[in-house]
Amino acid sequence: MNEIIEKIRAEFSQAVQSVKSPADLEPIRVKFLGRKGLVSTSFERISELPKEQRPLFGKALNELKKELETQYEALAASFKNKEAPKRRIDLTLPGRKPFAGRKHPLLKVADEIKQIFTSLGFTIEDGPEIETDFYNFEALNIPKTHPARDMQDTLYITDDILLRTHTSPVQIRVMQRQKPPIQMIAPGRVYRRDTPDASHSPFFHQVEGLVVDEGITFADLKGVIQAFAHRMFGPDIKVRFRPSFFPFTEPSAEYDFSCVFCKGKGCRVCKNTGWMEISGAGMVHPNVFKAAGVDAEKYTGYAFGMGIDRIAMIKYAIDDIRIFFENDIRFLNQF
Ligand code: PHE
């Protein structure tokens, strides 16, 4: 009776070896493990045996059945695992694009500003964000006791070292290292002790402008600002200068652009004034020339500031400066 078992086992392992695809599996299951398969029908032959051999044979057959079932399951499972990568690939589908970052809207606007000014003959200069009291205040005609310091409080690292409150210190650095003619802009980040709200952030971005040469006048300043406004926002934008005060320019002005949304008629964005404040400007104060080592008898010059964040808010109709710094991907993806 052992021969019967050995024979089935041998036949099974041969059959298993010839399996090439999942389609070959089912006939094997039927032949060996099916209801009328070799194992089942062998049970029927128990009665042919002498009584004392019957339990032994039955036990051996049951073990064989289990053995073949296990092997069969394992084989079937191995096909299932191999099947997955065989899924059809549709070569006509477009490829998957790897995720690529993009420029922050403020950087894009800064690039545009730089492009406009370089096309007008300006160079691009740089200065440190961690400044000394001298460059940020003293050399800009803002002595220790000057009330103008009140509006530009900042983080002091020591009594003398601070986070710059504007890009104006770059004026001094450039005048110290370069003789006129100077025609530069300096974009960068600045810091102030401000509580964040829709129009304030403890850090923001400015572009400084400085032009120094013989015979530079306020008319040159107005012409350049006007040219910039037209290139940035279109030819129908008007520019307005209002008298103002900065310790480092004399005379000083603040300048506005006519509202790009209502074209000056008055709307919610410009608070019905028809104008949008951009920043300050003026003729370089003789004390500033003196501090930077420029001959104030020979040269004149103008300087202006510009808020990059503010220009970006106008360009993209954004009403809250804080959204630039939240890094919300749903916002950033729009640019
Ligand atoms: N630095 C000034 C500010 O931050 C702006 C300014 C720049 C004014 C240059 C005049 C000339 O408010």
Side-chain angles (χ1 to χ4, degrees):
M1 278 297 135
N2 273 344
E3 294 138 44
I4 293 179
I5 289 181
E6 283 314 318
K7 204 174 157 238
I8 296 175
R9 186 180 275 134
E11 263 184 62
F12 180 80
S13 65
Q14 225 186 344
V16 159
Q17 267 164 34
S18 68
V19 170
K20 299 248 152 50
S21 77
D24 301 333
L25 286 169
E26 183 60 11
I28 292 179
R29 196 192 61 77
V30 173
K31 180 175 175 191
F32 292 92
L33 298 162
R35 219 156 26 88
K36 299 221 168 85
L38 286 176
V39 176
S40 290
T41 50
S42 300
F43 276 106
E44 284 158 21
R45 297 178 64 182
I46 286 185
S47 54
E48 294 167 21
L49 292 171
K51 263 208 171 88
E52 62 282 7
Q53 286 184 23
R54 287 179 193 174
L56 267 182
F57 184 64
K59 197 176 163 224
L61 266 179
N62 270 324
E63 274 166 11
L64 177 71
K65 191 179 171 205
K66 251 188 221 143
E67 182 189 318
L68 300 194
E69 272 170 0
T70 318
Q71 282 188 39
Y72 178 84
E73 296 301 331
L75 189 65
S78 78
F79 274 107
K80 262 204 189 113
N81 293 341
K82 272 183 226 151
E83 242 179 322
K86 276 194 188 157
R87 260 183 304 161
R88 289 215 185 143
I89 296 169
D90 183 350
L91 296 173
T92 66
L93 284 173
R96 270 185 215 134
K97 236 200 218 114
F99 175 78
R102 65 185 79 197
K103 278 202 173 164
H104 191 280
L106 288 178
L107 274 184
K108 285 179 93 168
V109 169
D111 280 351
E112 212 175 317
I113 296 172
K114 284 195 247 179
Q115 204 272 320
I116 292 170
F117 279 107
T118 48
S119 79
L120 292 171
F122 284 70
T123 61
I124 295 169
E125 307 289 342
D126 203 7
E129 288 175 28
I130 302 172
E131 262 298 4
T132 61
D133 185 272
F134 173 78
Y135 286 106
N136 196 79
F137 293 124
E138 209 77 36
L140 288 163
N141 203 29
I142 314 174
K144 288 247 170 357
T145 53
H146 200 290
R149 288 203 180 201
D150 227 31
M151 291 192 310
Q152 301 201 5
D153 197 9
T154 182
L155 186 87
Y156 283 81
I157 292 138
T158 68
D159 277 351
D160 192 44
I161 300 170
L162 48 90
L163 296 184
R164 69 177 180 189
T165 58
H166 48 182
T167 43
S168 301
V170 188
Q171 290 185 30
I172 309 296
R173 290 183 176 273
V174 172
M175 285 190 277
Q176 279 182 339
R177 67 175 178 242
Q178 188 191 318
K179 277 204 156 63
I182 292 168
Q183 190 177 6
M184 59 139 244
I185 58 163
R189 181 171 281 195
V190 301
Y191 304 81
R192 281 189 205 177
R193 187 182 179 280
D194 268 328
T195 307
D197 63 24
S199 52
H200 292 89
S201 162
F203 58 88
F204 53 101
H205 302 80
Q206 287 187 333
V207 179
E208 193 74 12
L210 174 70
V211 174
V212 182
D213 202 353
E214 288 177 50
I216 297 290
T217 71
F218 205 97
D220 296 313
L221 166 64
K222 289 186 89 171
V224 160
I225 296 292
Q226 180 83 63
F228 171 80
H230 288 175
R231 298 236 192 138
M232 192 75 204
F233 293 115
D236 48 353
I237 293 295
K238 292 193 189 68
V239 177
R240 161 175 99 167
F241 283 75
R242 288 175 287 116
S244 186
F245 172 80
F246 295 101
F248 37 94
T249 47
E250 179 61 34
S252 299
E254 273 172 81
Y255 62 97
D256 310 327
F257 292 169
S258 58
C259 177
V260 299
F261 299 106
C262 62
K263 307 279 177 234
K265 282 194 214 69
C267 67
R268 199 176 55 89
V269 185
C270 60
K271 297 194 187 84
N272 273 317
T273 61
W275 297 95
M276 302 186 123
E277 279 181 35
I278 303 298
S279 186
M283 301 305 289
V284 179
H285 195 289
N287 286 355
V288 174
F289 278 149
K290 211 178 290 165
V294 173
D295 183 352
E297 294 300 322
K298 189 171 175 197
Y299 297 108
T300 54
Y302 64 80
F304 59 86
M306 205 171 265
I308 300 179
D309 318 71
R310 180 165 297 174
I311 287 176
M313 286 167 81
I314 295 172
K315 186 178 163 72
Y316 298 123
I318 291 166
D319 60 4
D320 192 325
I321 190 174
R322 292 170 292 191
I323 201 166
F324 286 128
F325 311 121
E326 280 167 1
N327 276 340
D328 187 331
I329 204 84
R330 293 166 301 180
F331 168 71
L332 297 174
N333 269 342
Q334 295 175 46
F335 299 92

